[in-house]
Amino acid sequence: MQRGAELLLRGLMEDVEPHLREMEQGLKEMEPALREMLALIDDLRNYEMPEKLPNGDIIMRRKPDLPAPPKSGEIDL
């Protein structure tokens, strides 16, 4: 039974591996944009709980008593 489970898992890994490599490459390409987005967001504790609108949009409002987040051109990555 253990041998069967090992073969099954090995087969699954062989099937999934190309997709994982593809996903890794996509994340590497997105990394600069993700870093900029995270820098613009600043700290998630600076935001109210997200609100989902009836049309499916999600709004994250910054807490009103905090200074404005940095602008896109002001970010040091």
Side-chain angles (χ1 to χ4, degrees):
M1 186 136 157
Q2 182 179 352
R3 179 79 175 128
E6 287 175 7
L7 290 172
L8 174 67
L9 290 175
R10 211 173 269 136
L12 285 173
M13 284 305 296
E14 288 173 4
D15 290 345
V16 171
E17 185 179 11
H19 301 287
L20 290 174
R21 291 192 188 283
E22 194 175 303
M23 188 171 75
E24 177 186 26
Q25 182 60 36
L27 287 172
K28 282 181 182 177
E29 292 172 8
M30 290 175 41
E31 184 179 6
L34 289 172
R35 285 187 182 279
E36 182 176 359
M37 182 182 73
L38 289 172
L40 285 172
I41 290 172
D42 194 25
D43 188 338
L44 287 179
R45 292 175 291 189
N46 295 337
Y47 292 84
E48 304 288 346
M49 288 294 295
E51 176 185 342
K52 186 174 182 181
L53 301 180
N55 67 359
D57 288 354
I58 297 173
I59 296 177
M60 291 177 58
R61 290 187 173 90
R62 190 166 176 88
K63 291 180 181 175
D65 57 331
L66 296 172
K71 291 188 173 46
S72 183
E74 300 172 350
I75 299 171
D76 294 326
L77 297 177

